[in-house]
Amino acid sequence: MNLVIFGPPGAGKGTQAKRLVQDRGLVQLSTGDMLRAEIAASSAIGQQVEAIIKAGDLVSDEIVCAMIAGNIDANPDASGFIFDGFPRTVEQAEALDKLLNDKSMKLDAVIRLVVDDEALLKRITVRFKEQGRKDDNPESFQVRLGTYNKQTAPLLPYYADKGLLKEVDGMCAIDEVALSVAHVLDGG
Ligand code: AMP
């Protein structure tokens, strides 16, 4: 089973992706985690993307698509993947379709976590205090939210048209959201 976990910053994508790794043995591919690892390693890519991420803008499609392709190839025995924070543009979604198609794989569902802006801001403020992620500061967060609305939200009709979009109320407690995700995946 291959899934996209979808939603604005702070919606709980990473948290729910980790639950799906635990519960279903899928492999989580988080482009945000991959990019942060590149920055921590001070690699050429890390140096190229650090300021972009800090500002809350999107890294180029080429960079993230190459990372995803490499990580799919690095996990030939995976029973499935959860794409977390990817795709974020229609171009990335088209690249993912092609990538999967070339490997005779397909997406089974896109799970959208629905959370209102006020709750997102509260969650990101807590995460900023707890984890100190530079792009969680209030200014970057507003940019990230704007980027999501402008460049990523257009993916909702893209996936709805393909019949893949499943919406889950992401406002409840983590366990309840996980139950709702399980419910939609198991055909509820
Ligand atoms: P995330 O951890 O998913 O919130 O990602 C953190 C930041 O990494 C984003 O705000 C972007 O700057 C960058 N990023 C992560 N995934 C992507 C992607 N698929 N496309 C472009 N930029 C990305």
Side-chain angles (χ1 to χ4, degrees), residues 53-73:
I53 292 179
K54 191 177 170 200
D57 294 326
L58 289 188
V59 169
S60 75
D61 292 337
E62 290 72 20
I63 289 179
V64 290
C65 291
M67 284 178 152
I68 288 288
N71 276 273
I72 291 177
D73 288 343

Side-chain angles (χ1 to χ4, degrees), residues 31-32 35-36 52-53 56-59 64 85-86 88 92 133 135 144:
T31 42
L35 290 163
R36 282 185 286 279
I52 299 171
I53 292 179
D57 294 326
L58 289 188
V59 169
V64 290
F86 178 91
R88 263 177 156 95
Q92 290 178 22
R133 250 178 72 171
D135 60 343
R144 289 163 71 201

Side-chain angles (χ1 to χ4, degrees), residues 8-11 112-124 141 145 149 168-172:
R112 176 191 183 192
L113 301 176
V114 183
V115 178
D116 69 39
D117 287 1
E118 199 184 327
L120 293 175
L121 182 59
K122 276 193 196 144
R123 289 182 188 182
I124 290 283
F141 173 72
L145 199 53
N149 287 324
V168 165
D169 178 359
M171 295 285 289
C172 334

Side-chain angles (χ1 to χ4, degrees), residues 131-142:
Q131 297 178 18
R133 250 178 72 171
K134 291 187 182 124
D135 60 343
D136 280 341
N137 72 70
E139 295 76 33
S140 296
F141 173 72
Q142 290 304 338

